[in-house]
Amino acid sequence: MTKPRMRSAAPDRTQHFVVINVDGSVDEVMVATGDAADALADAVVTAATALTTVCVPVGGFSSGGFVVVGNIVFDLAKARRTEVRVEARSLQFAAMGIKK
């Protein structure tokens, strides 16, 4: 009798973004997890409420996983309107291949 093969768990194919709109200027920032996205969105909203500056890390993916590739500094002292939302985008279909 053959042994059943164990399949590895499917990799998480979801990217998490925080979309920040300050007076019509939109920036999308990729973060590692949904919890990190929520925390970053809260930090931006808190800075907007206090009319202060916030430094937002910009992320990306490399062969080693998620990495921070830079920062954006938002000076929200003179902003009239700041909108922040968290988006999760599935990459389920992006990695499909063609079988021959």
Side-chain angles (χ1 to χ4, degrees), residues 7-98:
R7 288 187 172 180
S8 61
D12 184 15
R13 298 208 180 269
T14 304
Q15 290 182 335
H16 302 278
F17 291 88
V18 177
V19 182
I20 304 166
N21 180 347
V22 179
D23 291 337
S25 176
V26 179
D27 288 289
E28 290 186 0
V29 179
M30 182 187 301
V31 294
T33 64
D35 291 338
D38 291 337
L40 182 58
D42 286 342
V44 174
V45 169
T46 301
T49 303
L51 299 176
T52 61
T53 302
V54 65
C55 181
V56 177
V58 177
F61 279 99
S62 70
S63 59
F66 181 82
V67 294
V68 174
V69 294
N71 292 287
I72 300 174
V73 177
F74 291 103
D75 182 9
L76 302 174
K78 295 182 181 177
R80 286 192 229 156
R81 179 185 173 112
T82 302
E83 176 187 356
V84 181
R85 71 179 182 273
V86 175
E87 294 182 0
R89 299 176 189 159
S90 175
L91 296 177
Q92 177 180 357
F93 300 107
M96 289 178 57
I98 298 173

